[in-house]
Amino acid sequence: MALAKLDGCELPASADFHVHLRDSAMMETVVPTIRRGGVNTVYVMPNLVPPVTTVKQATDYRDRLQALEPRVTFLMSLYLHPSVTPDTIREAKKAGVTGVKSYPAGVTTNSDSGVVDYAAFYPVFSAMQDEDMILNLHGEVPDVDVHRAEQSFLPVLVELHERFPRLRIVLEHCTSAAAIDTVASLGPSVVATITAHHLSIVVDDWNGKDGGGGDPFCFCKPVAKTPADRDALLRAAASGNPKFFLGTDSAPHPAQAKKGDKPAAGVFTQPYATQLVLDAFEMACETGALKEGDITREVLEGFLSKFGRAFYRAPDARNERIVLKRGDERIVDVVRKDGSDVEVVPFRRGRSTWTLTWT
């Protein structure tokens, strides 16, 4: 059986550098699931309604999250918006805000206030470079076929890096071989996150064969693409290259919002973040996309924790560790909070996965 050698493997706690934790009842439902996925450090997305555009909003949000789960470190971000100025960046740095997230206008959930013209933000990017803050890019172009939206964005990434070579940039949730190749070709200040679900799904999973209708719980932005693209992501995640590390883009929506003709974009993976990466690697070894020898303890440690922590300068102050074991754990059909009517359906619901415990 693939990856049998990793049964009982002990690793540092995972760090997830792209999470959506929402607010109010949804926040109270999903935040308690973070550690279930072996994660004790998260980078929190700011696309609430209204978006997190001020330092006070970010710090107040952090306080709400910390009150729910004090055993998790929450790294906070601002939403790139015309109200964000160089002075905002300097204030954010002093307050411990980690970065700024850019959403192209209208491409995904709660992105209506997003960017239309990147040049308008050059003074902000310059201040971020001076303050050593991180720019997180949702790498898609609006009003382009979803299969090409990421690739069409890559020249923007290249230009931003050329203009601001010291600015730390993360191309979020890569989905294509072209994105992997572009990030690999740029300097050390440019890296990329890869999600757990994009390591296993392809276009047929969300769109169905020949467009015949797929699983809406596999639909996200950017969309999963071809098997060749998926395999490029797997190779990058298993390469030991510190430019590539975990950012799940776990994005919870009420179960009802994922149904119908226009399901909400987002895949919920938070309760099984680490386990789903192991599942994807295991399936890749079984199909021949990867060799079993490609997946070592060192590869897992790098992708799940070490590389992202180094880039974000976010060491694990708790020095916690997790153990992964083969078992008969089954991914639940739905996640809900007692006393709440909020229900969220996790990725790969009903399927078996690795068992994870904390040491």
Side-chain angles (χ1 to χ4, degrees):
M1 187 177 290
L3 303 192
K5 64 182 180 181
L6 294 175
D7 189 9
C9 177
E10 182 177 314
L11 297 169
S14 297
D16 186 348
F17 289 99
H18 186 136
V19 302
H20 295 271
L21 301 177
R22 310 304 192 208
D23 211 344
S24 303
M26 182 64 81
M27 175 182 72
E28 294 170 1
T29 300
V30 302
V31 167
T33 72
I34 294 171
R35 286 180 63 91
R36 192 190 308 176
V39 172
N40 73 356
T41 302
V42 294
Y43 185 55
V44 184
M45 295 296 104
N47 58 332
L48 303 183
V49 179
V52 178
T53 58
T54 71
V55 173
K56 187 177 189 312
Q57 283 178 299
T59 56
D60 286 351
Y61 188 23
R62 179 173 58 199
D63 291 345
R64 296 196 298 277
L65 295 168
Q66 206 76 65
L68 281 172
E69 180 48 273
R71 299 171 299 167
V72 170
T73 298
F74 298 92
L75 307 178
M76 307 308 293
S77 62
L78 296 179
Y79 186 111
L80 188 62
H81 182 269
S83 65
V84 174
T85 67
D87 285 342
T88 309
I89 297 303
R90 288 185 277 271
E91 180 189 2
K93 179 68 173 183
K94 290 178 182 177
V97 175
T98 299
V100 178
K101 175 65 181 288
S102 166
Y103 291 93
V107 299
T108 190
T109 304
N110 300 340
S111 64
D112 292 343
S113 300
V115 176
V116 176
D117 176 18
Y118 286 89
F121 292 99
Y122 285 172
V124 172
F125 299 155
S126 179
M128 291 177 64
Q129 180 172 250
D130 291 342
E131 295 293 335
D132 196 26
M133 291 185 70
I134 291 176
L135 174 62
N136 303 90
L137 298 173
H138 181 118
E140 291 190 285
V141 173
D143 303 320
V144 172
D145 179 86
V146 292
H147 301 279
R148 297 185 293 106
E150 181 175 87
Q151 189 164 354
S152 298
F153 179 85
L154 297 176
V156 177
L157 170 65
V158 173
E159 181 179 2
L160 288 174
H161 179 51
E162 289 174 348
R163 285 182 176 273
F164 305 100
R166 293 183 292 107
L167 177 60
R168 286 186 288 158
I169 299 175
V170 182
L171 182 63
E172 302 281 6
H173 41 50
C174 285
T175 61
S176 64
I180 294 295
D181 291 344
T182 299
V183 170
S185 73
L186 298 176
S189 61
V190 178
V191 300
T193 55
I194 299 174
T195 77
H197 56 281
H198 283 124
L199 289 175
S200 63
I201 61 174
V202 296
V203 60
D204 286 353
D205 291 296
W206 65 269
N207 197 42
K209 293 186 182 299
D210 301 318
D215 182 354
F217 294 99
C218 290
F219 175 64
C220 59
K221 291 286 190 72
V223 299
K225 297 182 173 64
T226 69
D229 288 310
R230 188 265 318 277
D231 291 352
L233 301 180
L234 284 162
R235 289 192 296 271
S239 68
N241 185 337
K243 277 178 165 284
F244 303 105
F245 51 83
L246 180 66
T248 63
D249 189 23
S250 178
H253 291 280
Q256 193 61 37
K258 292 293 293 180
K259 301 174 183 178
D261 294 337
K262 294 183 178 180
V267 174
F268 180 52
T269 55
Q270 203 70 71
Y272 304 96
T274 299
Q275 299 94 312
L276 288 167
V277 172
L278 266 290
D279 291 338
F281 282 156
E282 188 163 38
M283 287 186 287
C285 291
E286 291 171 350
T287 62
L290 292 175
K291 298 178 181 178
E292 188 168 351
D294 294 336
I295 309 304
T296 64
R297 184 191 304 264
E298 291 73 25
V299 163
L300 292 177
E301 180 175 338
F303 180 73
L304 293 169
S305 183
K306 179 180 177 181
F307 298 155
R309 291 187 188 277
F311 188 80
Y312 274 82
R313 298 167 193 162
D316 181 7
R318 299 176 181 84
N319 196 30
E320 293 185 295
R321 299 184 72 80
I322 55 176
V323 176
L324 293 160
K325 294 183 178 179
R326 290 183 172 282
D328 56 358
E329 181 156 356
R330 176 184 172 276
I331 295 175
V332 298
D333 292 322
V334 68
V335 172
R336 66 169 62 88
K337 177 179 178 288
D338 290 343
S340 171
D341 59 358
V342 174
E343 294 186 346
V344 191
V345 175
F347 181 60
R348 299 190 79 237
R349 62 199 183 279
R351 302 187 190 182
S352 62
T353 190
W354 290 63
T355 298
L356 183 151
T357 56
W358 291 83
T359 63

